[in-house]
Amino acid sequence: MSGDAQDEDDMHANDDQHGDVQHGDALQADADGLGAERVLDCDGHQIPGSGCEPLAGTGLLAHLDGELSAIASARVAEHLAACPTCAHEAALLGVAGDLVAALPRHTPGADFVGRVTDCVGNPDPDCDADDAAPRGRLLRLWPAAAAAAVLVVAIAARSMLDRGDTAGGVLTASEEREIASDLYVLTNLETLETVGADELIALVEQLDLLEGLEPEMSGLYAAADDGEGG
Amino acid sequence: MPDVDPETELMLRFRGGDDAAFTEIVHRFQGRVASLAYRYLGSAADAEDLAQEVFLRVHRARETYEPTAKFSTWVHRITVNASLNLIRRRRVRRHLNAAMPTRGDDGEAHADFEDESAPRPPDVLEEAELADVVGTIVDALPERQRTAILLNKYQALSYEDTASAMELSLPAVKSLLTRARVNIKEALLPYLDAGKLPGGKSKGQS
């Protein structure tokens, strides 16, 4: 698992480890056997300035998830029994976890095991779940077209990235049409006339070009996602 | 075999030449692998195709498998990586498709990545609607938070096994899980606070 999006995760990870709410640290300390008194810091809503900060640390989650020792867990439970604010937070976090656990599942049909065992050692392309366009065909047939096609994709990607940067990461419809028209000129070159987007992608993947482009493109998608999710 | 869990032992039996052990592995893991893939891909057919690919990879690893980690965490890791790779390829393809003109359909090549609109809370959620809401919230998490919470809560892996499957340290996984859980809770607040969850699962009454 790698990717630029994880850098952001890592930054937050540091935040969490050092700046988690006081209860979380207190409970974590307790989980580590450092004593019960800090756990009780928020008992009676006595944390200065903040009332009883909701518990959001890994100690509380570990308690909810059954990942604490019996002794540490009992201490958290004791605190929760005495602190309505934390108990409310714990209930919400518990429901959140339960709902994820209860998401629908998919069980393959009765023929699935047979399908897999039939495919073992079978070179039949139907047994390859990779949904990329057939690999190799275009390179064998049209090496010149292939090289040109890769160039087209690289230009298109670069173009999208540049425009994405200036537009705050989100392409407008008119920008997309502009890129599309640029692409259309390039793809209308005689040798490329029959090359569709799927085949271009397959070529890029084949030549490992995607690896070079993807981090920047992922950034673009992430920016777009953030904009939509906000 | 010293001290390995039953599923790891199955893989070791397969490595040792027992073909029936492979069938048993597929049988035991098909639901877990297909379900996890389904959460990433959103399609039952795609999930089964990906699950098939995962098991073929397991089969290909027959000679080289070493039980350095639990077999089940290894299978989860393969499933997550294969799912994420497929999603990445599709994203790039979708973007290029959007940028390519539809032949004979001038100017109508639009991106389709804005389909997932934010869920709005109706008065009371049916179970299926609730699953959609929760699924959408989980999908919107940063990638590693999503993977961590899916492995831990949806697949019921322990913190340690989640860390192993993601090749991360235990503290890093705890941090991801905390943020994921808090993010999900925050996103669910409009539903939780309004008591809109069915089956009496409303906010904690304390």
Side-chain angles (χ1 to χ4, degrees):
Chain A
M1 270 161 261
S2 65
D4 59 328
Q6 293 171 12
D7 296 339
E8 195 178 342
D9 274 349
D10 290 337
M11 287 166 51
H12 291 307
N14 289 334
D15 290 348
D16 275 2
Q17 280 163 13
H18 300 298
D20 218 337
V21 292
Q22 296 172 58
H23 286 56
D25 285 348
L27 288 173
Q28 191 57 51
D30 181 54
D32 295 336
L34 297 179
E37 61 279 6
R38 291 187 59 206
V39 174
L40 299 178
D41 278 354
C42 76
D43 196 8
H45 306 251
Q46 289 175 352
I47 290 182
S50 59
C52 191
E53 286 275 341
L55 284 164
T58 53
L60 175 60
L61 273 187
H63 165 70
L64 294 174
D65 292 340
E67 295 263 359
L68 280 187
S69 71
I71 292 176
S73 201
R75 286 176 182 165
V76 176
E78 186 184 355
H79 171 74
L80 291 178
C83 179
T85 303
C86 292
H88 178 62
E89 180 73 5
L92 293 177
L93 289 170
V95 168
D98 291 346
L99 289 174
V100 174
L103 281 170
R105 307 191 68 82
H106 175 69
T107 303
D111 63 338
F112 181 77
V113 177
R115 250 172 61 198
V116 171
T117 50
D118 285 350
C119 269
V120 166
N122 184 346
D124 182 343
D126 285 349
C127 286
D128 186 354
D130 190 337
D131 77 342
R135 293 172 178 235
R137 182 169 63 88
L138 215 58
L139 271 185
R140 281 199 307 276
L141 292 179
W142 306 312
V150 169
L151 179 65
V152 169
V153 173
I155 291 170
R158 191 65 255 166
S159 173
M160 280 189 277
L161 289 170
D162 290 345
R163 288 156 205 271
D165 285 343
T166 59
V170 182
L171 294 174
T172 67
S174 66
E175 284 170 331
E176 290 212 0
R177 275 196 291 277
E178 198 180 332
I179 294 169
S181 67
D182 291 348
L183 269 172
Y184 191 65
V185 172
L186 289 166
T187 54
N188 249 349
L189 296 173
E190 192 177 349
T191 51
L192 293 177
E193 211 160 35
T194 58
V195 178
D198 276 358
E199 288 164 316
L200 291 180
I201 296 267
L203 282 167
V204 173
E205 287 177 343
Q206 236 169 356
L207 299 181
D208 285 337
L209 256 180
L210 196 56
E211 290 305 313
L213 292 172
E214 191 179 354
E216 290 175 284
M217 299 194 71
S218 300
L220 178 60
Y221 297 129
D225 289 346
D226 287 348
E228 287 165 27
Chain B
M1 273 165 238
D3 245 17
V4 296
D5 63 281
E7 289 166 340
T8 304
E9 189 181 330
L10 268 179
M11 186 62 189
L12 290 173
R13 273 173 45 204
F14 175 51
R15 189 183 71 177
D18 181 354
D19 286 337
F22 177 73
T23 306
E24 178 64 17
I25 285 169
V26 179
H27 183 73
R28 282 200 194 189
F29 280 90
Q30 56 177 334
R32 276 178 277 179
V33 170
S35 291
L36 186 55
Y38 177 66
R39 291 258 57 90
Y40 283 106
L41 305 177
S43 144
D46 287 350
E48 288 198 22
D49 284 348
L50 191 126
Q52 178 170 302
E53 183 185 328
V54 166
F55 290 119
L56 292 182
R57 285 190 199 185
V58 168
H59 194 278
R60 285 198 292 271
R62 175 183 204 155
E63 309 289 338
T64 56
Y65 175 76
E66 291 294 337
T68 50
K70 274 188 193 172
F71 176 69
S72 62
T73 64
W74 181 61
V75 170
H76 277 100
R77 189 189 312 157
I78 298 175
T79 306
V80 169
N81 287 340
S83 298
L84 293 178
N85 284 338
L86 184 56
I87 288 170
R88 288 187 188 117
R89 284 206 301 276
R90 285 180 174 176
R91 274 183 180 168
V92 173
R93 181 172 309 160
R94 193 168 50 173
H95 230 87
L96 283 176
N97 275 327
M100 297 280 283
T102 307
R103 290 169 202 270
D105 189 10
D106 202 1
E108 290 299 318
H110 294 301
D112 63 351
F113 49 75
E114 291 176 354
D115 287 349
E116 300 89 7
S117 54
R120 293 162 193 273
D123 288 343
V124 177
L125 292 174
E126 300 295 333
E127 291 286 351
E129 291 172 332
L130 177 61
D132 280 348
V133 168
V134 177
T136 302
I137 290 170
V138 170
D139 288 348
L141 291 172
E143 184 177 296
R144 293 202 306 172
Q145 286 184 35
R146 173 166 68 153
T147 294
I149 197 72
L150 285 177
L151 291 176
N152 173 237
K153 296 312 290 185
Y154 185 66
Q155 299 291 76
L157 296 194
S158 67
Y159 289 179
E160 190 182 344
D161 286 350
T162 302
S164 173
M166 294 182 73
E167 296 181 291
L168 292 172
S169 70
L170 194 55
V173 158
K174 284 181 177 177
S175 173
L176 285 172
L177 287 171
T178 300
R179 282 179 284 132
R181 197 82 158 259
V182 170
N183 283 337
I184 294 169
K185 181 216 56 170
E186 296 290 334
L188 281 170
L189 277 181
Y191 305 91
L192 296 168
D193 279 346
K196 286 169 182 163
L197 298 180
K201 270 187 186 174
S202 79
K203 65 185 180 181
Q205 309 289 333
S206 49

